[in-house]
Amino acid sequence: MLEEKSKQWTWTSLTDSSTSLHPPIFTKDGNYFFSVVGSSIKIHSTVSGKVISTLPGSQDQGHSDIITAAILSTQNAFQLITASLDGTIKIWDFLDGVLLYTLNLEQPIYHMCAHEKITDHIFVSAAKPKANRRTDGASETRAQNQDESCIVLKVSLKPKDRNNPGIKIHKSSSVTPVGKTRATSGLAVSASGGWLIAIAGHKAYVANTSSLKAGFTKYVSPDPLTCLSVHPTEDYFATGDHKGVVRLWYCLNQSIPKVVGVEKRSQTSTFHWHAHAVSSVAFSTNGAYLLSGGEESVLVIWQLHSGKKEFVPRVGSPINNIVVSRPHAAEEEYLLSLADASYAFISSATLKLSRVFSRIKLDPALPNHTASSSSRISLAVHAASDTLILPSSHPSSLQTYSPSSSILIAELEVSPSNRVSRTDDRALEPSRVEHVVISASGEWMATIDRREGDGTFRGEVYLKFWWWDKKAAFWILNTRIDQPHGSYRVTSLSFNPLGDSQLIQLVTTGEDGNVKTWRIRSTKDKKGGSEVSWMSRSTFTFRRETPKHTSWSPDGSLLAVSYSASVAMYDPTTNVLQHNFCCSEVPEVSSAHFVGPSGRNLVVMGKVSLVVWDIVTQSVRWHYSNPALIQSVVVHPTHESFAIFSPIISNSPKCEVNVFRVQSSTPWLTQTLPFKLLSVAWYPTSPLPSSGPHVTKSSFSIVGITHSYNVVHFGEEISHAAELGASANALSKGASVTKRSLFQEMFGVPALAEISDQNTNVASSTNDVTLPWRGSETGKIFDGPSYLMPPMETLFDSLISGFLKIRLDNEEEQQPPKGPYDIDSEMQVDSPSNGDEAFAVRLTEVARENVLQTFVPFFMEMTGSAEYAFQANKASNPTKPVVASTPQPRRPLARPPVAQKVATPNPPTPNQTPTTSLPAKAGKKRSRHSLG
């Protein structure tokens, strides 16, 4: 009975469609930020970086082209305004995730800005539409044609005929032209709202917003300008240029006379550190610092009044944009939008990376991806952890990505290298990871990283073996072998399919003509432990031909090595040649693969043809000639079938997939995918809990990297769980955070106000016996300046629980009586386990009328009045024993205990060592600096 043919293949993208050059935008409360991805807007959580919502929703019609500009409305903080190359402006309510209305300008829009003093109007830079305009990410602002002219417009946000429900796309009620420019690189309004600034080419265009009919005044820059930022409080602006110069412009002045048609030079000041073009500049919220970044992957912080600078190096990728957050309760942070589609937060206090949000780091626009045609794209699947091993944004690194959770697990630097992209105009050739394979057990990974040599540097080739640490869930370097095939390139490597660590082997082939096998060697160290490393096992050749590819039979008993005109079959144990399959039907062999779980059939691939051999009978079953070039092949691991991938035509973005079975040369299934593939691999998926009628064991599940460097998962019955935030969702406004007074910052809020049930439950949950503060983690809390530290009440409970052991009821010990003024008499630790109520619950017992009485002893101790009374009483009656008054029971304060300071009537000199105030032993004279 013939099996039913498979269904139509489906596919899903595991990465974003493109890397946007538009800067992210923070909401007014700083809890969320927006990122532009193609023609959609994603709303991220500032704390977790997860996508909460995506605009547009299914009920709204979004932009038909990529979004080039987005700003928050100056009149309504819950509205977002977006502009696109499709010539439309859309106003969104991002809280509810709905589109309010659309304005159509019928001109592609590149930049947009607004100011709160100019109500119901925005400024845009637009261009006339062109028939050959690109629609991919490269057509964004910085990839425009510099010869293209733009026009700056003042557009009213009030649409015509808005009350007409039949009209979905409106015209603006007022569009006023300001002036013509070249292709703009930035557009902004000054802090006072009196000046409109645009930069394009070598010029900065300035117009007075109160008299826009006068047009622009042009100011000349020595080099092409790339980015723009206005000062938050004063009327001047900063730019970056192609030579790496940051320039401050002081030309926003009414006294400067305007001469039509004459270009001027403005008073400026410059800062120069960058070796390449500056991609983004931004002012801090107080205007005292200027931040700049670019291709060097270094954030530079300039102090404006002194010109001094600080650096945050190696942020991970070239910087596209810099945005300064404006949180109300926390410290200021800098958000970096990186070229590999990652977002990095940097603390303004410590100047360290606080958190990084990224999915898959792939970007073909990076200079390091401009590789030669012989470079390879590595791709592997680690079934033990259900992750993908992919090339990272830097070619010398690999990244581990989990498709099931859509999380970037880790990044592995295979070859440590300098991240400087180039010196002057010459790009540096970094080390590149060309091959990655993983053993069948998932315990070992082998990589080949190579660096081309030049006249001043000798080439490098390294074979590295990595061991999978299950506890740490990370790859650890075990063995490095320099030049496994000399200075020649390694053409292929593969593990045998055996899971036994004692029988596992790796085979490599190189352009030197050698086929080498590698095995594990175990040695014992001095302590009796076992050390495992890899070593060479054997080397052999075949007729001085260059091997191109290797493949193992499913049981590991045969090794197939592909040469130009034949495939040699070896016994991997003895390296004895079993048979040589000459393939006259394939003019030039590129690879050979065993098909099916039995391994009886061997498919030999060429550039445009293939042949299937029966190994047992040593005969050709059939051969097939493909009308297009065969780029890659994927063999089904449990079924006797395989798929070949071919581009339809050279300039088409599509590819064709033909699925064959070993019984027939006619394709069993033909599919068309809307992308071309650079690399493919089989991706094992878990079986469905209930197998329906359409579920077959011959289903394909493949993962690949496209020519646009997107990672896609495609095949039959491909299903992924709906990702959080993939559709438009309503956002919660959240409770407003009231600003604390100075007294509340010193002594805490619960002592002066009732504690809500919610806060009580949260505080009670912190009384845990676990000890979260360990080693260096504790020290990181105190890295910042004291004036930027959070209130001590937020850290005290968990910090002390990490240092002090909670005493249980059965562990109480008899303590000797101590004086009322001993230091440690005030260090009381409430045990949460010796009562029915938690510490946070007992805080509610503080009565409002007793607040002052509670704080009176505290203030007396802090000012030293109690100590002064004690010393005066002792001096007036030296022979009379001091009778201490019975102290009133102290209620627990709502602030953490403060370490008591010792009052020293005579402070020690610099050369004198002070003594601590410890209880004196009987019969010995007390120190002159001790109490009592």
Side-chain angles (χ1 to χ4, degrees):
M1 180 176 179
L2 294 176
E3 187 177 353
E4 182 183 358
K5 281 198 174 184
S6 301
K7 298 184 298 183
Q8 185 71 21
W9 283 13
T10 59
W11 65 278
T12 179
S13 178
L14 303 180
T15 58
D16 295 330
S17 58
S18 63
T19 301
S20 176
L21 295 178
H22 191 277
I25 306 167
F26 280 97
T27 57
K28 190 175 182 180
D29 57 2
N31 294 331
Y32 306 97
F33 69 90
F34 305 90
S35 66
V36 178
V37 180
S39 59
S40 62
I41 297 287
K42 292 191 175 183
I43 307 177
H44 302 256
S45 169
T46 305
V47 178
S48 64
K50 294 182 178 180
V51 178
I52 306 300
S53 178
T54 301
L55 303 176
S58 58
Q59 73 278 7
D60 298 320
Q61 184 176 2
H63 292 281
S64 59
D65 208 332
I66 63 171
I67 298 175
T68 54
I71 58 173
L72 284 180
S73 173
T74 57
Q75 309 302 319
N76 189 338
F78 302 113
Q79 290 183 1
L80 181 71
I81 306 174
T82 60
S84 170
L85 289 181
D86 61 6
T88 61
I89 300 172
K90 295 182 181 291
I91 293 86
W92 307 83
D93 184 345
F94 63 82
L95 277 184
D96 296 329
V98 296
L99 175 66
L100 300 179
Y101 59 94
T102 302
L103 299 176
N104 190 5
L105 290 184
E106 298 180 351
Q107 292 175 273
I109 302 172
Y110 295 134
H111 289 88
M112 178 173 53
C113 64
H115 196 274
E116 58 184 3
K117 292 184 179 180
I118 308 175
T119 58
D120 298 327
H121 286 82
I122 60 174
F123 295 96
V124 299
S125 64
K128 295 181 180 180
K130 288 187 177 182
N132 59 351
R133 188 178 307 280
R134 297 177 62 186
T135 59
D136 57 358
S139 63
E140 289 200 45
T141 304
R142 295 173 195 170
Q144 300 169 23
N145 187 353
Q146 294 299 322
D147 296 332
E148 184 178 7
S149 61
C150 292
I151 182 171
V152 179
L153 306 172
K154 181 182 179 181
V155 181
S156 174
L157 293 177
K158 295 181 178 179
K160 291 182 180 179
D161 302 329
R162 186 178 181 182
N163 296 327
N164 189 349
I167 301 177
K168 296 183 179 180
I169 300 178
H170 305 269
K171 297 286 186 179
S172 174
S173 60
S174 174
V175 178
T176 304
V178 180
K180 294 182 179 179
T181 67
R182 297 186 66 184
T184 55
S185 300
L187 187 70
V189 181
S190 64
S192 63
W195 302 94
L196 174 66
I197 306 106
I199 59 171
H202 288 76
K203 300 180 183 66
Y205 300 80
V206 177
N208 195 328
T209 56
S210 60
S211 58
L212 293 176
K213 293 182 179 180
F216 285 114
T217 302
K218 304 176 184 178
Y219 297 92
V220 181
S221 168
D223 298 294
L225 301 176
T226 57
C227 51
L228 169 69
S229 179
V230 295
H231 195 276
T233 57
E234 301 180 15
D235 279 348
Y236 66 90
F237 60 93
T239 61
D241 62 25
H242 276 285
K243 295 294 185 181
V245 177
V246 178
R247 193 180 307 272
L248 302 179
W249 301 72
Y250 307 100
C251 57
L252 306 182
N253 194 339
Q254 292 280 5
S255 62
I256 299 178
K258 174 177 173 58
V259 180
V260 179
V262 177
E263 298 176 351
K264 297 183 178 181
R265 293 190 178 273
S266 169
Q267 178 185 359
T268 61
S269 59
T270 60
F271 304 99
H272 192 190
W273 177 86
H274 297 276
H276 312 302
V278 181
S279 60
S280 180
V281 290
F283 286 94
S284 60
T285 53
N286 58 6
Y289 297 91
L290 179 67
L291 293 81
S292 63
E295 188 180 318
E296 302 86 0
S297 304
V298 177
L299 176 66
V300 186
I301 300 99
W302 305 89
Q303 192 176 32
L304 295 180
H305 77 279
S306 64
K308 296 182 179 180
K309 55 186 176 295
E310 293 186 86
F311 304 97
V312 182
R314 294 177 69 91
V315 296
S317 184
I319 300 173
N320 277 350
N321 292 287
I322 305 171
V323 181
V324 180
S325 67
R326 294 172 174 82
H328 295 280
E331 64 182 13
E332 184 177 271
E333 288 185 313
Y334 310 138
L335 174 58
L336 307 182
S337 174
L338 305 181
D340 60 0
S342 301
Y343 294 98
F345 279 87
I346 294 179
S347 170
S348 61
T350 61
L351 296 184
K352 296 180 180 178
L353 286 170
S354 58
R355 55 196 184 277
V356 178
F357 306 137
S358 58
R359 292 184 65 181
I360 294 182
K361 299 180 178 180
L362 287 178
D363 184 17
L366 295 179
N368 289 332
H369 278 296
T370 310
S372 60
S373 60
S374 60
S375 62
R376 295 169 173 83
I377 303 300
S378 55
L379 175 63
V381 178
H382 189 219
S385 59
D386 191 21
T387 56
L388 302 178
I389 308 298
L390 303 161
S392 185
S393 56
H394 196 275
S396 63
S397 299
L398 295 174
Q399 56 185 330
T400 303
Y401 179 77
S402 173
S404 58
S405 60
S406 300
I407 296 177
L408 183 64
I409 304 299
E411 187 172 8
L412 176 65
E413 193 173 30
V414 176
S415 176
S417 59
N418 195 345
R419 298 305 174 98
V420 176
S421 59
R422 56 192 172 99
T423 58
D424 298 330
D425 294 331
R426 181 183 178 186
L428 298 178
E429 181 65 24
S431 297
R432 299 180 180 275
V433 182
E434 294 186 345
H435 297 276
V436 176
V437 291
I438 299 177
S439 64
S441 62
E443 186 179 5
W444 294 98
M445 178 176 68
T447 61
I448 295 290
D449 59 277
R450 185 172 183 270
R451 180 178 179 180
E452 294 283 355
D454 52 21
T456 59
F457 183 80
R458 183 173 61 89
E460 296 178 344
V461 183
Y462 296 110
L463 169 62
K464 296 177 181 178
F465 293 91
W466 307 79
W467 176 72
W468 175 251
D469 189 350
K470 295 182 180 179
K471 294 183 179 180
F474 198 72
W475 295 100
I476 299 176
L477 180 62
N478 177 269
T479 307
R480 190 190 81 173
I481 299 173
D482 299 354
Q483 296 185 342
H485 290 265
S487 59
Y488 294 92
R489 184 187 299 272
V490 177
T491 56
S492 70
L493 70 161
S494 60
F495 281 103
N496 64 352
L498 301 180
D500 190 355
S501 60
Q502 300 298 326
L503 301 177
I504 188 172
Q505 292 184 29
L506 177 78
V507 59
T508 62
T509 60
E511 292 181 349
D512 59 349
N514 292 326
V515 179
K516 293 188 176 182
T517 58
W518 311 82
R519 67 175 180 86
I520 291 179
R521 177 182 60 182
S522 299
T523 58
K524 291 187 177 180
D525 54 12
K526 297 180 180 179
K527 297 182 180 180
S530 177
E531 293 183 357
V532 176
S533 61
W534 285 79
M535 62 176 295
S536 177
R537 176 182 177 271
S538 62
T539 302
F540 59 91
T541 60
F542 180 78
R543 298 178 182 175
R544 297 183 180 179
E545 294 190 17
T546 302
K548 297 182 177 180
H549 182 265
T550 58
S551 177
W552 295 83
S553 62
D555 58 358
S557 60
L558 292 176
L559 173 64
V561 181
S562 301
Y563 296 94
S564 298
S566 62
V567 177
M569 199 71 62
Y570 291 92
D571 182 354
T573 304
T574 60
N575 294 343
V576 174
L577 179 64
Q578 301 291 336
H579 188 76
N580 185 32
F581 294 92
C582 296
C583 304
S584 58
E585 298 83 0
V586 180
E588 186 175 354
V589 178
S590 60
S591 63
H593 307 267
F594 288 89
V595 182
S598 63
R600 175 171 179 169
N601 299 286
L602 182 73
V603 55
V604 181
M605 311 297 301
K607 289 185 177 181
V608 292
S609 57
L610 61 92
V611 60
V612 176
W613 283 80
D614 189 324
I615 299 178
V616 177
T617 62
Q618 299 180 2
S619 60
V620 175
R621 302 193 61 153
W622 53 266
H623 65 88
Y624 174 81
S625 295
N626 197 51
L629 180 68
I630 301 177
Q631 287 188 334
S632 53
V633 59
V634 173
V635 178
H636 199 287
T638 60
H639 193 264
E640 292 187 348
S641 60
F642 59 93
I644 62 172
F645 298 83
S646 306
I648 296 179
I649 53 177
S650 59
N651 57 354
S652 173
K654 300 180 180 180
C655 77
E656 185 180 76
V657 184
N658 290 319
V659 179
F660 292 89
R661 292 187 171 183
V662 296
Q663 293 84 2
S664 173
S665 60
T666 304
W668 170 258
L669 182 68
T670 300
Q671 300 284 342
T672 301
L673 299 176
F675 43 76
K676 293 182 179 179
L677 295 165
L678 293 173
S679 182
V680 291
W682 179 267
Y683 181 69
T685 55
S686 58
L688 298 177
S690 59
S691 298
H694 297 289
V695 179
T696 62
K697 64 179 181 180
S698 61
S699 300
F700 276 78
S701 175
I702 305 172
V703 64
I705 301 177
T706 68
H707 276 249
S708 59
Y709 281 79
N710 291 333
V711 181
V712 292
H713 182 203
F714 56 94
E716 302 162 76
E717 303 156 3
I718 300 300
S719 62
H720 285 268
E723 186 179 357
L724 177 65
S727 58
N729 301 318
L731 305 181
S732 59
K733 297 182 180 180
S736 59
V737 180
T738 58
K739 187 177 180 180
R740 294 186 178 188
S741 63
L742 180 61
F743 191 81
Q744 291 173 346
E745 290 287 349
M746 293 175 60
F747 304 109
V749 177
L752 302 177
E754 295 292 339
I755 305 177
S756 63
D757 295 337
Q758 181 179 1
N759 293 338
T760 301
N761 295 333
V762 173
S764 301
S765 62
T766 59
N767 292 325
D768 194 2
V769 295
T770 58
L771 307 178
W773 303 87
R774 298 289 186 184
S776 60
E777 298 180 1
T778 306
K780 294 179 181 179
I781 301 299
F782 304 100
D783 285 346
S786 58
Y787 61 88
L788 293 178
M789 290 291 294
M792 185 56 69
E793 65 181 12
T794 62
L795 304 176
F796 181 79
D797 293 334
S798 55
L799 182 63
I800 291 301
S801 64
F803 291 141
L804 301 181
K805 180 181 179 181
I806 299 177
R807 186 176 59 188
L808 303 177
D809 293 337
N810 55 0
E811 295 180 357
E812 295 183 356
E813 299 178 359
Q814 297 295 330
Q815 300 291 339
K818 300 181 180 179
Y821 297 101
D822 288 337
I823 296 297
D824 55 350
S825 63
E826 301 293 335
M827 300 295 291
Q828 300 177 0
V829 180
D830 293 333
S831 175
S833 60
N834 56 4
D836 295 333
E837 297 179 345
F839 174 72
V841 178
R842 293 199 297 269
L843 291 177
T844 58
E845 300 176 1
V846 180
R848 293 179 179 271
E849 58 271 12
N850 296 331
V851 169
L852 294 180
Q853 296 181 5
T854 304
F855 283 112
V856 165
F858 169 73
F859 282 115
M860 293 179 64
E861 294 171 2
M862 293 297 294
T863 56
S865 57
E867 178 64 26
Y868 176 80
F870 176 81
Q871 295 290 351
N873 188 11
K874 182 178 180 180
S876 59
N877 300 303
T879 58
K880 184 179 179 180
V882 178
V883 179
S885 59
T886 303
Q888 297 293 329
R890 296 181 59 186
R891 296 180 180 271
L893 304 180
R895 57 177 297 280
V898 180
Q900 306 297 323
K901 296 183 178 180
V902 180
T904 56
N906 298 319
T909 60
N911 296 328
Q912 183 179 0
T913 303
T915 59
T916 56
S917 57
L918 300 176
K921 294 183 180 180
K924 292 189 178 181
K925 187 177 180 180
R926 290 177 179 263
S927 171
R928 59 190 295 266
H929 297 296
S930 61
L931 300 180

